[in-house]
Amino acid sequence: MLELELPPRSLYHPRRGSLARDRSPERNTLSTPSGTDDPTRVVAAQTRRGISWNLAGAVVTNAMRVVVIVVLGRLLDADDFGVVAAAVSVAVILHGLRDVGLGQALIQRRELARGHATTAFAVSTYLGLILAAVLVLGAPTIGALYRMPASVDVIRALAVLFALRGVAQTSRMLAQREMAFRAIAIIDASSFAIGSIAAIAGALADLGPWALVLGYLVEEVLATVMYMWVCPPPWAWRIDGRSLRELMSFGAGQTVAQLAGILATYGDNFVVGGALGERSLGLYTRAYDLIKFPSTVFASIVGSVLFPALSRLQDDRRALATAFRRVTFANALVLLPASTLLAVLAPEAIVVLVGHGWDDAVLPFQILALTMLLRTSQKAGAIVAQAAGLVNGVAKAYLVYLVLVVGGAALSVRWGIAGVASSTALAIAVVSALCSALALRASGMSSRELLAAHGHGLALSAVVLAVTWPLARLLRGGEGSVVTTFVITTAAAVGPCVIVAGWWLRRGTGDFGWLLQELGRLTRRRRPAGAEVP
């Protein structure tokens, strides 16, 4: 069994299932290592360890994800992806109701008692069963709305996910609260890898869209079993009214934000699927999924660690501002030049990643590539704001996002999937600005500092554009292959960026000093147990 490293933050100890009494004068205060009296430094050390474990898990998970995209893009066609995309869109939307925000409230609360955990477990379990039943009974109606009768049985099969997630949800959230990211990384990476292998095996066996369903089910069953083994939930079926009200003070806004965000993310799928059919939906979702990749990686590696970490420091505005600025700086440094590169090399990138036959996905891919940083900035801003308790502000921002995505898609679908991609990109820009504004309010950081954090990333983006645009045009006019054009142009862009970024690092000014220090920690051998954290 994987052992959780549980710092004495929460009053409720998930493994023992009892109250761990904190005898310090102030309840639920972080204890600090010997020789250290600054909770910020302790949380920073725990955050680094969490990100390191998440990074290790993400390397495995995302390497497998790329393989799955490449393999399944060749074994399945756009119709298969479209059928499953319709079912997954509905499943993900309902998934936002899985615990009405109580799980995130467990993480964000300063103090946590057993009643909070037992209430969250009972509510999430009951809701999981109810949503599974709703999905089974409503599958024909959903299939009719999508005009895809083939998706009805797929929707019913995926309903099983809700029962499983409902039971395991409290275990997942308690593990995050205690920042047990070693266990989380192992569980998520191993379940995703085995589920992906099952999906590929199903595709090789000519199961069509059912290969994807098989992968989802295998992954969820394994994850559920492992989370409940590592962090057993408080097996109780009674809902305590007082605990529920306390959790819902945060959970209600979190649920609205979560549902609005999910509906916005998949609302354009409804419009595309209903108006243009399953092939167009398959093309659009392939382009969107590839562009969501960086924000998905950010959420899984950094975001899931930042929320519990910043929740512990929610009253320290300086710490919130520093975290938000550094996250923005690092994201801009990587994603602005990357989005420029992908926008220029979109025709080649589509062929390399998903194979031939997806040419109609190139233009929406180019448009959505410009939103890569905006998507991660949206998530970072929302995390900082929610950790500080501004969950209702985030909910309002996501409601605006929902209206812009669905309304924009309904207006722009007449111009095909490229038109929908354009309206969705505009909606992403707006919600990113709104969430960033909330983060500035929570942290006291100035808008000038936020803009300055993007400066070096913009400079690298200009370098990439200057190198790749003429070179790609030159290579496309020759006799080289698509892969050759992609590799040569990418290498020509990366080289100057590495040189320029290396020069900035050697100077060590501003946030480059912090980045150099963090890179040094990654390459340095692990300190002996009990050593003081610098």
Side-chain angles (χ1 to χ4, degrees):
M1 183 182 296
L2 302 173
E3 292 297 328
L4 294 182
E5 298 176 0
L6 300 175
R9 175 188 180 219
S10 60
L11 298 175
Y12 173 70
H13 192 298
R15 178 169 292 281
R16 290 196 300 267
S18 61
L19 292 182
R21 300 297 180 185
D22 186 349
R23 301 183 184 281
S24 60
E26 183 180 354
R27 298 178 68 198
N28 204 36
T29 302
L30 271 172
S31 66
T32 59
S34 177
T36 303
D37 58 1
D38 185 358
T40 301
R41 297 174 66 190
V42 178
V43 174
Q46 293 172 331
T47 301
R48 284 193 292 269
R49 287 197 296 270
I51 291 175
S52 296
W53 276 107
N54 278 0
L55 177 61
V59 168
V60 176
T61 300
N62 291 308
M64 179 64 71
R65 182 173 280 115
V66 171
V67 172
V68 171
I69 289 173
V70 172
V71 173
L72 294 183
R74 289 160 171 79
L75 295 177
L76 304 176
D77 57 29
D79 292 346
D80 294 329
F81 280 103
V83 168
V84 178
V88 170
S89 297
V90 176
V92 171
I93 290 170
L94 290 179
H95 184 59
L97 291 171
R98 65 192 181 277
D99 64 354
V100 291
L102 300 189
Q104 292 295 308
L106 289 179
I107 297 174
Q108 198 270 343
R109 280 190 65 83
R110 293 183 180 88
E111 298 180 0
L112 190 67
R114 177 175 173 80
H116 297 123
T118 56
T119 296
F121 174 76
V123 170
S124 62
T125 300
Y126 295 148
L127 273 178
L129 295 173
I130 292 171
L131 292 175
V134 168
L135 207 56
V136 169
L137 296 175
T141 302
I142 297 168
L145 289 173
Y146 265 113
R147 300 179 185 175
M148 296 181 192
S151 68
V152 172
D153 289 336
V154 172
I155 293 170
R156 285 174 170 160
L158 292 180
V160 177
L161 301 179
F162 287 95
L164 294 171
R165 289 173 180 172
V167 174
Q169 178 65 8
T170 302
S171 294
R172 291 173 184 263
M173 295 299 102
L174 289 174
Q176 287 188 37
R177 177 183 172 89
E178 304 304 339
M179 302 186 74
F181 290 103
R182 178 180 64 176
I184 292 172
I186 293 172
I187 292 171
D188 290 349
S190 58
S191 60
F192 180 83
I194 296 173
S196 298
I197 292 172
I200 292 174
L204 291 171
D206 294 325
L207 295 182
W210 287 98
L212 300 174
V213 175
L214 176 63
Y216 282 123
L217 292 175
V218 169
E219 177 184 357
E220 195 63 41
V221 168
L222 290 175
T224 298
V225 171
M226 287 189 284
Y227 270 112
M228 296 182 70
W229 183 30
V230 167
C231 192
W235 295 97
W237 310 105
R238 178 177 173 272
I239 298 174
D240 178 69
R242 178 180 177 182
S243 297
L244 181 61
R245 287 191 298 273
E246 291 175 348
L247 292 175
M248 285 299 295
S249 63
F250 179 91
Q254 172 64 24
T255 298
V256 172
Q258 188 166 275
L259 278 176
I262 292 171
L263 286 169
T265 301
Y266 291 91
D268 45 356
N269 288 0
F270 280 104
V271 177
V272 172
L276 302 178
E278 55 195 36
R279 176 171 177 76
S280 292
L281 178 59
L283 291 166
Y284 182 74
T285 55
R286 285 295 84 190
Y288 203 146
D289 287 347
L290 292 172
I291 293 305
K292 284 196 306 183
F293 188 69
S295 63
T296 301
V297 171
F298 171 81
S300 62
I301 296 177
V302 179
S304 61
V305 180
L306 277 184
F307 181 63
L310 295 183
S311 292
R312 296 183 175 204
L313 303 173
Q314 58 188 273
D315 297 321
D316 187 343
R317 300 186 78 197
R318 181 179 178 182
L320 295 179
T322 299
F324 186 45
R325 189 190 69 249
R326 288 174 174 174
V327 166
T328 300
F329 163 77
N331 282 337
L333 200 64
V334 174
L335 295 181
L336 281 175
S339 62
T340 302
L341 178 66
L342 288 177
V344 173
L345 291 180
E348 291 78 15
I350 288 293
V351 172
V352 170
L353 293 173
V354 297
H356 294 280
W358 297 84
D359 293 346
D360 290 338
V362 170
L363 183 53
F365 179 84
Q366 287 177 307
I367 295 168
L368 292 170
L370 302 176
T371 69
M372 286 171 57
L373 176 63
L374 295 173
R375 289 184 59 85
T376 55
S377 296
Q378 165 195 335
K379 292 181 181 294
I383 288 169
V384 172
Q386 288 172 325
L390 300 180
V391 65
N392 292 333
V394 175
K396 293 175 183 177
Y398 276 48
L399 287 172
V400 172
Y401 180 36
L402 170 60
V403 172
L404 291 177
V405 167
V406 177
L411 294 173
S412 62
V413 73
R414 68 185 69 182
W415 293 287
I417 56 177
V420 177
S422 299
S423 62
T424 299
L426 177 61
I428 292 172
V430 171
V431 73
S432 177
L434 292 175
C435 288
S436 295
L438 286 170
L440 295 181
R441 175 183 163 193
S443 65
M445 179 177 166
S446 70
S447 57
R448 183 176 180 179
E449 288 180 274
L450 180 62
L451 291 175
H454 293 81
H456 294 90
L458 286 170
L460 291 183
S461 183
V463 171
V464 169
L465 183 61
V467 171
T468 58
W469 182 263
L471 180 59
R473 294 190 66 180
L474 177 64
L475 292 175
R476 287 167 185 161
E479 298 180 356
S481 67
V482 169
V483 174
T484 299
T485 300
F486 182 82
V487 172
I488 291 177
T489 307
T490 300
V494 171
C497 288
V498 170
I499 293 172
V500 173
W503 180 69
W504 285 334
L505 278 172
R506 283 196 298 272
R507 292 183 62 194
T509 58
D511 283 322
F512 277 102
W514 159 78
L515 182 59
L516 183 62
Q517 185 181 45
E518 292 303 312
L519 291 174
R521 285 192 174 100
L522 287 176
T523 57
R524 197 179 303 148
R525 293 182 61 182
R526 184 184 295 271
R527 289 176 172 270
E532 182 181 350
V533 179

